[in-house]
Amino acid sequence: MIKFSKKNNLLSLHTKNTSYIMQVFKNQHLLHIYWGKSMVLTERNNYLPLDERVNMVNSDPADKSYYLEDLPFEYAFWGKGDFRTPSLTAVDGNGAVISNFIYESHTISNGKPEIPGLPSTFAEEADDAETLEIKLIHKKSGVSIYLLYTVFPSFDVITRNVKIENRGSSQVVINKIMSATVDFVSGEYELLTLPGAWGRERWIERQSVSHGVVSIGSSRGISSHQFNPFAALLSQGASEGSGEVYGFNLVYSGNFVAEIEKNQDDRVRINMGINPFTFSWKLGAGESFSAPEAVLVYSDKGLNCMSGIYHEFYGKRLSRSIYARKERPVLVNNWEATYFSFNEKSLLEIASKSKDLGIELFVLDDGWFGERNSDHTSLGDWVVNKDKLPDGIEGLSDKIRSMGMKFGLWFEPEMISSDSKLFRSHPEWALQLKDSPPAEGRNQLVLDLSRDEVVVEIIRMLKEILGTKAVDYVKWDMNRSLTDVYSSTLPSDRQGELYHRYVLGLYRIMDEITSAFPDILFEGCSAGGGRFDPGILHYMPQFWTSDNTDAVSRLKIQYGTSLVYPQIFMGAHVSAVPNHQVGRSTEIEMRGNAAMMGNLGYELDFNKLKNEELDAVRQQIVFYKKYRKLIQFGRFYRLLSPFEGEKASWMIVSQDKSEFILFYYQILAEANMPRTLVKLTGIDVNPIYKETGSGDIYSGSELMYRGYFLPRFTVDFQSVVVHFYRGDSIG
Ligand code: GLA
């Protein structure tokens, strides 16, 4: 999997279908040679022919054809003649740039090391994963960089991360440290990203890569609704089923950046890592710093193939939660049903109706603590409000459990209301600048998770409540971006570390709490999908995808999210109409069919539904439970994009291809339209597949090569979910 050819100084990584090759070149520079479809290089000397060029800075006086700006680097440095956006910028104690690191050595080992303090994917023995660690050195300063690559041959995945170590005698300041850089030697690419906003997260956007730098990222302290820490370079015109795709995803929940630069020679560089705009790190003598992991996926069969690789890998190697491979319960959440106005009686009324409909988990959302009757108060005062819940959380949980359901509870542990007992006793625990009042977001402030005592208190509080064993599920919310990022406990020359220290504090809490309570199912939330990233998903195997619960809006949100993240990660709820976010009314079938593509839940008061709607809900839950394993763990394929028209369709195929479910949604209807013939994918060619409802039979080849006629809908917002199973093989 990982090979070193001494003759040519080639280091090559091989997965089942891909190769990634680098070379220790002249001057001990580590260069990027190739990444793509599996390939063999013959032994030659000239993988990168050098030519004399005009008006370029000559970095090696002895070689008039050696220009750093012309070379593809594996990790890039600024200051000696490579003028592209670098992987690292660091200065020594005199303020002088440390650049031009050179290869010193490498090691190859089995398995995959953890990254201290940071979440990451992991390897199991059966994976035959190997890790290459390459040491680059800067002799004068004594600073070393370790580039780590783990190869997962059967998953077709390569992960990367970077450690920097200061073995010199004086301090160094890091201003930028990327987790991965890839210099594509040539090629015309499109860039695919997942921009958005609250309520319309992870929409798909494509643009051609032209000269200059395009940068996406977050400086909000969270990975954000506005951009997901994901970017892909695509060969021009690549589609769901064809073309080359290079995916980059950062396992990080704070400020990140992805920079894509096309230079004068049409070489394309991509960097991904912590956003340098809000970052600096002082590295004292003897200290080291680890950057988060980036997960790299290549597909030569388009986007569906790339997504399939991410889905399988993340489904199995991202979260160690015991729920990662377990079927998830159908839940009801009281938020949109009651908002802050509830009491035990009204909750139990919803719960009892829910149980009757087949719901398995009742989740009590915001409003159960302190004086929390609106979003202006009480975050930080995690003591039950006895006016609403006279028997406390434990009393309510007992009652829910005795109905035969599990009980879940909402927290927003990272926050503090200025109107709270906690703030009155510890105002200094909130992030705030010295001489100006902090900006509020959703009327709340953010706790300073760089402070040890704050982290310790959050852990204590959560352990106390969860230690009662009254809670089976936790919804972990986080409802605002960070501002006023200043900590009175950090010295002035370390304030640039605060955003990252916040994330490290958060990971420490999540690690400790999820390890202490392995039986609790944790769901991440950040005003919906504001932190839907692999960092959080490492600790919490599901995430509330968006606060927008409208079925039509969800088509785009879930379609975009599926580019990287498997459907089982996506919390998807049926809510009331008119929808609370967009005012749209859709039928209960449409709402159920949209939510059923992910991790199904309900977020409404069943007591307000008509009998026909209740019957529909009951049937939805029966159907979902019947096919839950297939839906939650099957292989997901996108068929028709809601970004390209008024129709959306996708399908989920069981791992053994013996059954699949097809989902089809009509958004706005047009008069007098024909049926759509859609080509299915991912099933076997030879067998026959029987449509469960109609009993119609099709060959796999017909469904894939000729297609399947979708129903003709003549009114807006219609949908259908069709199950097929494999019959006898034909031919
Ligand atoms: C956020 C969440 C919602 C709900 C509210 C409660 O907006 O995304 O699902 O929990 O907070 O305040």
Side-chain angles (χ1 to χ4, degrees), residues 335 365-366 410 442 475 477 479 525 527-528 544 547:
W335 179 241
D365 210 279
D366 194 356
W410 179 96
R442 208 197 185 200
K475 177 174 171 187
D477 213 339
N479 275 302
C525 177
W544 179 225
D547 271 356

Side-chain angles (χ1 to χ4, degrees), residues 137-204:
I137 53 161
H138 183 263
K139 280 203 182 117
K140 209 164 144 241
S141 64
V143 176
S144 307
I145 292 173
Y146 297 86
L147 305 180
L148 286 101
Y149 302 75
T150 299
V151 181
F152 288 85
S154 57
F155 286 103
D156 258 335
V157 166
I158 295 173
T159 63
R160 288 183 61 173
N161 67 289
V162 173
K163 188 175 91 173
I164 181 164
E165 195 172 65
N166 181 3
R167 291 246 181 93
S169 53
S170 60
Q171 137 200 326
V172 164
V173 177
I174 311 163
N175 292 311
K176 177 180 186 183
I177 177 164
M178 294 289 97
S179 297
T181 291
V182 177
D183 270 352
F184 293 86
V185 179
S186 70
E188 294 296 317
Y189 295 101
E190 288 179 55
L191 169 65
L192 183 151
T193 55
L194 299 175
W198 175 90
R200 50 185 162 84
E201 295 83 0
R202 291 170 297 286
W203 283 21
I204 296 175

Side-chain angles (χ1 to χ4, degrees), residues 364 368 384 389 391-398 407 409 465 470-471:
L364 172 56
W368 58 267
V384 73
L389 304 174
D391 294 338
I393 290 297
E394 287 172 75
L396 176 64
S397 168
D398 282 348
F407 177 73
L409 194 60
I465 298 175
V471 178

